[in-house]
Amino acid sequence: MSDQNFRSQGPAEGGQQGAPQNVPQSASRVKRVPVLPVRDTVLFPHAVLPLTVGREGSIQLIEGLGEERTIAVTAQVDARVDVPTPKDMHTVGTLATVHKVVRMPNQSRFVFTEGVERVRLLRYVQTEPYMIAEVEPLEAAPLEAGEAVADQNLDAMVRVVVSQFQQIVTESQTLSDELRTIAANIEDPARLVDFVASSLPFLTTDDKQKLLETADVKTRIEMITAHLAKEIEVQQLRAKIQNEVQDQVQQSQRDYYLREQMKAIQKELGEQDEGQREVDELRKKIDDAQMPEDVKKEALKELARLGRMSPMAADYSLTRNYIEWLAVLPWAKSSGSKIDIQKAKEALDEDHYELKKVKDRILDYLSVLELKPDMKGPILCFVGAPGVGKTSLGKSIARALGRKFQRVALGGMHDEAEIRGHRRTYIGALPGQIIQSIRRAETNDPVIMLDEIDKLGRDFRGDPASALLETLDPEQNNTFRDNYLDVPFDLSKVLFICTANMLDTVPAPLLDRMEIIPLQGYSEEEKLHIANRYLIPRQIKGNGITPEQIEFPEDSTRYLIRHYTREAGVRKLEQVIGTVCRKEARRVVEGKTEKLIVTKEILKEFLGNITVRVDTEVADRVNRPGVAVGLAWTPAGGDILFIEANKMKGKGGFNITGQIGEVMQESMQAALTWVRSNADRLGLAQDFMNDVDLHIHVPAGAIPKDGPSAGVTMASVLVSLLSGSMVQPLTAMTGEITLSGNVLPVGGIKEKFLAARRAGVKNVVLPADNRQDVEED
């Protein structure tokens, strides 16, 4: 076994440039020499290399050397082979002279060898106990000094090699500075390349073997130049990285020393550092917040943890933000305003027209609150069509109470954490919208409006509607626990107001926690008052004009309400009023300063043709037997429903078409049964179904209709068709019929009545049991 510790040196002592004394000078013939296999080592000519010889065959080779002491040192192709054969050896090696052999205690030999020349191994003549091969020189014809100088390209290449090598030695911490002088004194280019290659520790065994196998001097110089250039780049990059790291370390050490010195100076001056000042400020905020005892204990615990942290710690800012949230919440800070019932009534009347039921309920609440200040806040839910004033009513309540108003939009919310907050383990965690609203209000008894509660969503992130159960339960929300704060907060003093367009999509457990207050649509007279009192002045001011520049006569406003809007609320009405005001603003900018009196002609000019035809539509369509007008409740406040019937020859068939649901289809079947069972009383033949087919159609376009309120209309349509008598003109009806002929009461009377009023209906037929609804509204 041959093991070695590679250490390249300069030329050996004695002879010209260290040439061996005992090597024959004639190298042109083939020689037989012993072959010493080595691992991961390449010996170059004129280089001295110490080798550790441990394999049995190699030891016999060294011991069997005579006076010639010449061997061929050849690298193995695979260094892992313990007993190499000729096929495991490279075909090019170095003819070397063994100068000295030292016996080691472990029976190995320490051999000093010196390379003489490159040789090619032609064939092996012996393999046991060690290998002997025939070799021939591989070295190219040597260049004389004069020839080397004459070749300017070669001379330039040599100088580049010397310069690069000296630069590498200068920057290296492992290479001796003597190598720079030795390299500068070597005149033979071939010997220079071999010396440089043997001196560079970063060259791999494969790189060195390729240099050894290359006989042409110029090619070797180009190869070594590429290796040197690459190493210079690596050295420069290493130096750059080392300098940057050192700068960072020095900066950190400098900052540390300066910080310690600053602490010492501040201590002498009686001052505090920034971190300690921040801790003291937070401690003062905690003391001023008047937290409950258990909450204060948690805050002080986190504050003590913060004081032990370095400001550079990753979770320093997270802990500080958490303490700040605890400290700034209004645990014991209320609005403190005294309730004045008369002033509250005036504020509600000033902001909203009519809505008597809603105002009475709010004033009742304020009266109880005046007598019992620690009363738990109710959960009011305003339900009504868009534009009837649900959100603005919440603002008016806050103003009447003298409290802060906060609005949380629930429409489209899918994440439960938006209500309860995120846990602090998540990056960017924050409290939920409820706690955030409390912080913005800066009091623990604000008015918080949960807008569009019927439009909550749910997905894989949780169910916000379920998260609201604790929030809106007066028996539970006094210990509301946000996931971020993880401490209880009392929400019982908060006045929660929810809004919804309909209650069908609100879960029953959530609905059970709220007090439902319906906001019905406005009649034409109410819209007229609202427009004159609120909408027109607001739009005039909002569009930069003055009341002296525009005037809305009552007839024009009524025409606008009747023919350009069809809604339960007043949102669309305000939009068209705004359009008229913008047209006037443009006239003013164009230089037309005369006051604009808004007439019907002006409305047609600004808004185009009317979009709602009311008087003639019902009269034109109900002009033959078999057509009647029904009334239906919709989220927009109510709508009229045309129902048509026709007959044809057949065998008693009954067809139902239109966008109707199962309940209305059942109402049609019940109406037909009642008509057939009362044919004599109605003046119809008992067998009128034997030779005809009946077809009832509800031409309601793409708007689906369903609900138990169309039975009376269906029966009237069938009787009108079969008797040939038309239904009374401009008449609408609603009510559910039973098989025995009883008419049941229905809901949404005001919305249906307003829809009939908008459509120009003169007479409305209602169930007798709905008389109290008519009298109340």
Side-chain angles (χ1 to χ4, degrees):
M1 179 177 179
S2 297
D3 301 321
Q4 62 283 333
N5 296 321
F6 176 76
R7 181 173 60 86
S8 61
Q9 299 180 357
E13 297 179 356
Q16 184 179 1
Q17 297 297 330
Q21 302 297 317
N22 299 325
V23 178
Q25 298 299 319
S26 177
S28 60
R29 64 182 181 274
V30 175
K31 297 180 180 180
R32 287 188 179 185
V33 293
V35 179
L36 178 64
V38 292
R39 293 188 177 102
D40 292 330
T41 301
V42 176
L43 175 62
F44 285 92
H46 312 294
V48 175
L49 182 66
L51 299 173
T52 300
V53 178
R55 285 187 282 211
E56 184 177 351
S58 299
I59 293 175
Q60 292 183 17
L61 183 153
I62 296 300
E63 295 295 337
L65 291 176
E67 295 181 358
E68 184 70 19
R69 304 183 72 80
T70 300
I71 62 174
V73 179
T74 308
Q76 296 178 195
V77 176
D78 187 353
R80 295 172 297 180
V81 178
D82 290 334
V83 184
T85 60
K87 66 179 181 179
D88 298 319
M89 308 299 295
H90 283 289
T91 58
V92 175
T94 304
L95 198 65
T97 300
V98 178
H99 286 296
K100 187 177 181 180
V101 178
V102 180
R103 293 177 180 271
M104 305 299 291
N106 59 357
Q107 302 303 320
S108 62
R109 304 293 188 270
F110 196 64
V111 181
F112 289 88
T113 60
E114 180 183 5
V116 178
E117 61 180 347
R118 289 170 171 78
V119 292
R120 185 187 306 277
L121 281 67
L122 301 176
R123 69 185 185 91
Y124 287 83
V125 298
Q126 177 183 315
T127 58
E128 295 293 340
Y130 51 85
M131 292 182 286
I132 299 176
E134 293 182 348
V135 300
E136 66 175 0
L138 184 66
E139 196 72 63
L143 294 173
E144 298 295 336
E147 296 178 356
V149 173
D151 191 338
Q152 295 182 357
N153 290 336
L154 185 61
D155 183 54
M157 296 169 66
V158 169
R159 292 187 181 185
V160 170
V161 170
V162 173
S163 174
Q164 290 176 325
F165 180 69
Q166 290 179 339
Q167 181 178 348
I168 290 174
V169 172
T170 302
E171 299 292 336
S172 176
Q173 298 179 357
T174 58
L175 297 177
S176 173
D177 291 340
E178 297 177 358
L179 297 177
R180 299 172 56 191
T181 305
I182 296 173
N185 292 330
I186 298 177
E187 297 180 358
D188 183 5
R191 293 188 62 179
L192 175 65
V193 175
D194 291 342
F195 170 74
V196 172
S198 63
S199 302
L200 296 177
F202 61 83
L203 288 180
T204 64
T205 303
D206 291 339
D207 292 337
K208 292 181 178 181
Q209 184 64 33
K210 290 179 181 178
L211 286 168
L212 183 68
E213 294 176 356
T214 304
D216 183 66
V217 178
K218 286 187 177 182
T219 305
R220 288 211 303 270
I221 292 177
E222 293 173 354
M223 293 172 63
I224 199 66
T225 301
H227 289 302
L228 293 173
K230 180 179 178 181
E231 177 63 17
I232 290 174
E233 291 182 3
V234 172
Q235 280 188 343
Q236 291 175 348
L237 182 59
R238 186 187 301 116
K240 179 182 178 183
I241 295 174
Q242 186 173 0
N243 290 336
E244 291 178 354
V245 173
Q246 186 174 2
D247 291 343
Q248 292 178 359
V249 172
Q250 291 177 351
Q251 182 66 30
S252 299
Q253 292 176 346
R254 176 176 176 273
D255 293 345
Y256 173 76
Y257 291 138
L258 290 176
R259 198 174 290 113
E260 293 299 319
Q261 291 176 1
M262 185 181 298
K263 288 181 181 179
I265 294 172
Q266 290 173 341
K267 184 177 180 180
E268 291 296 328
L269 294 176
E271 298 177 353
Q272 294 176 322
D273 64 344
E274 187 67 27
Q276 186 61 37
R277 188 183 304 114
E278 194 172 52
V279 171
D280 290 345
E281 289 177 356
L282 289 174
R283 190 184 307 277
K284 185 177 184 304
K285 289 182 179 179
I286 291 174
D287 293 337
D288 296 341
Q290 302 180 22
M291 303 177 180
E293 195 59 35
D294 54 341
V295 178
K296 186 174 182 179
K297 182 179 178 180
E298 179 68 20
L300 292 176
K301 176 183 175 183
E302 290 295 323
L303 185 64
R305 180 168 170 263
L306 182 71
R308 296 190 298 268
M309 284 186 190
S310 168
M312 307 299 293
D315 55 343
Y316 181 85
S317 61
L318 301 179
T319 305
R320 184 192 62 198
N321 291 340
Y322 173 69
I323 298 173
E324 286 182 347
W325 268 101
L326 289 178
V328 301
L329 285 177
W331 298 93
K333 183 180 179 181
S334 301
S335 57
S337 59
K338 183 173 178 59
I339 299 175
D340 188 337
I341 298 297
Q342 187 60 35
K343 183 179 178 181
K345 185 176 185 301
E346 292 174 357
L348 292 174
D349 290 338
E350 181 182 344
D351 292 344
H352 290 83
Y353 179 75
E354 284 296 332
L355 301 178
K356 183 176 183 301
K357 289 184 182 179
V358 180
K359 293 177 181 178
D360 287 344
R361 175 62 186 90
I362 295 169
L363 294 175
D364 293 345
Y365 163 73
L366 296 180
S367 301
V368 176
L369 191 63
E370 174 71 15
L371 299 176
K372 186 176 175 58
D374 58 345
M375 179 192 70
K376 296 181 179 179
I379 313 298
L380 304 179
C381 182
F382 296 151
V383 182
V388 295
K390 299 185 295 296
T391 305
S392 60
L393 191 62
K395 296 180 181 179
S396 299
I397 294 173
R399 189 165 75 90
L401 286 170
R403 298 187 186 183
K404 297 289 185 67
F405 176 80
Q406 294 293 322
R407 175 180 172 272
V408 179
L410 301 180
M413 185 180 290
H414 290 77
D415 193 351
E416 178 186 336
E418 291 289 337
I419 303 297
R420 282 209 183 109
H422 302 81
R423 299 194 182 276
R424 280 185 288 155
T425 53
Y426 296 109
I427 296 175
L430 284 174
Q433 291 294 329
I434 303 299
I435 295 297
Q436 290 188 40
S437 299
I438 296 289
R439 178 180 180 177
R440 288 192 295 267
E442 298 179 348
T443 60
N444 61 5
D445 59 347
V447 176
I448 297 181
M449 173 158 282
L450 304 177
D451 222 357
E452 309 291 355
I453 198 171
D454 58 328
K455 297 176 179 59
L456 279 172
R458 60 182 300 179
D459 59 12
F460 64 93
R461 290 169 291 188
D463 184 6
S466 299
L468 282 174
L469 293 177
E470 180 187 7
T471 306
L472 300 182
D473 192 339
E475 300 298 328
Q476 300 179 18
N477 62 10
N478 60 335
T479 57
F480 174 75
R481 188 177 291 268
D482 187 273
N483 289 331
Y484 179 83
L485 299 182
D486 201 26
V487 292
F489 189 90
D490 187 4
L491 296 178
S492 61
K493 296 181 180 180
V494 178
L495 175 57
F496 286 103
I497 300 177
C498 305
T499 70
N501 296 131
M502 61 179 66
L503 299 178
D504 297 347
T505 57
V506 181
L510 185 59
L511 198 62
D512 183 62
R513 286 163 167 78
M514 298 184 294
E515 181 178 345
I516 307 302
I517 300 179
L519 271 73
Q520 299 169 335
Y522 297 112
S523 65
E524 184 177 300
E525 294 299 325
E526 292 172 338
K527 288 183 179 180
L528 183 63
H529 283 86
I530 293 173
N532 291 330
R533 183 180 297 184
Y534 305 104
L535 305 184
I536 293 176
R538 184 162 60 202
Q539 286 300 319
I540 289 176
K541 181 179 179 181
N543 288 282
I545 56 179
T546 63
E548 289 74 21
Q549 294 172 323
I550 189 171
E551 179 183 344
F552 285 83
E554 182 176 317
D555 292 343
S556 299
T557 306
R558 194 183 298 275
Y559 184 82
L560 184 66
I561 295 170
R562 184 176 300 175
H563 293 285
Y564 287 94
T565 62
R566 175 177 282 182
E567 57 176 343
V570 292
R571 186 169 296 162
K572 181 65 176 177
L573 176 60
E574 185 171 9
Q575 291 175 2
V576 294
I577 292 174
T579 301
V580 175
C581 292
R582 286 192 294 272
K583 296 291 186 181
E584 170 59 15
R586 179 177 175 183
R587 292 179 70 256
V588 172
V589 172
E590 292 174 348
K592 300 175 182 178
T593 58
E594 67 276 6
K595 185 175 184 179
L596 176 66
I597 306 298
V598 179
T599 62
K600 297 179 180 179
E601 291 74 19
I602 294 294
L603 290 177
K604 289 183 179 180
E605 178 185 349
F606 287 174
L607 303 176
N609 293 327
I610 61 175
T611 57
V612 180
R613 302 179 184 275
V614 290
D615 294 331
T616 60
E617 184 178 8
V618 175
D620 291 344
R621 295 185 64 170
V622 189
N623 57 1
R624 67 173 183 83
V627 180
V629 179
L631 297 174
W633 179 91
T634 66
D639 199 2
I640 63 171
L641 195 66
F642 288 99
I643 299 176
E644 300 178 354
N646 212 335
K647 62 181 179 178
M648 63 220 73
K649 288 186 177 181
K651 298 181 179 180
F654 184 58
N655 293 328
I656 303 171
T657 57
Q659 287 277 46
I660 54 177
E662 295 180 359
V663 177
M664 286 188 66
Q665 293 180 19
E666 293 174 357
S667 297
M668 293 180 180
Q669 296 284 355
L672 178 61
T673 300
W674 180 81
V675 171
R676 295 182 65 180
S677 63
N678 292 275
D680 291 339
R681 293 174 53 193
L682 297 173
L684 303 177
Q686 286 284 350
D687 58 350
F688 68 88
M689 286 288 292
N690 290 344
D691 56 353
V692 297
D693 287 343
L694 296 179
H695 185 177
I696 295 183
H697 179 60
V698 181
I703 304 175
K705 302 289 182 182
D706 197 14
S709 62
V712 170
T713 313
M714 302 294 180
S716 299
V717 167
L718 291 174
V719 173
S720 171
L721 173 68
L722 297 172
S723 64
S725 302
M726 291 191 300
V727 177
Q728 184 177 349
L730 299 179
T731 299
M733 60 194 75
T734 183
E736 184 60 27
I737 193 170
T738 65
L739 294 179
S740 59
N742 294 328
V743 178
L744 303 180
V746 294
I749 296 300
K750 182 175 181 180
E751 287 83 356
K752 294 176 180 179
F753 185 87
L754 293 178
R757 179 79 176 270
R758 288 195 303 269
V761 172
K762 301 300 182 182
N763 303 308
V764 178
V765 180
L766 301 174
D769 290 340
N770 285 116
R771 181 179 297 276
Q772 59 180 6
D773 297 312
V774 176
E775 294 173 351
E776 183 178 358
D777 291 332

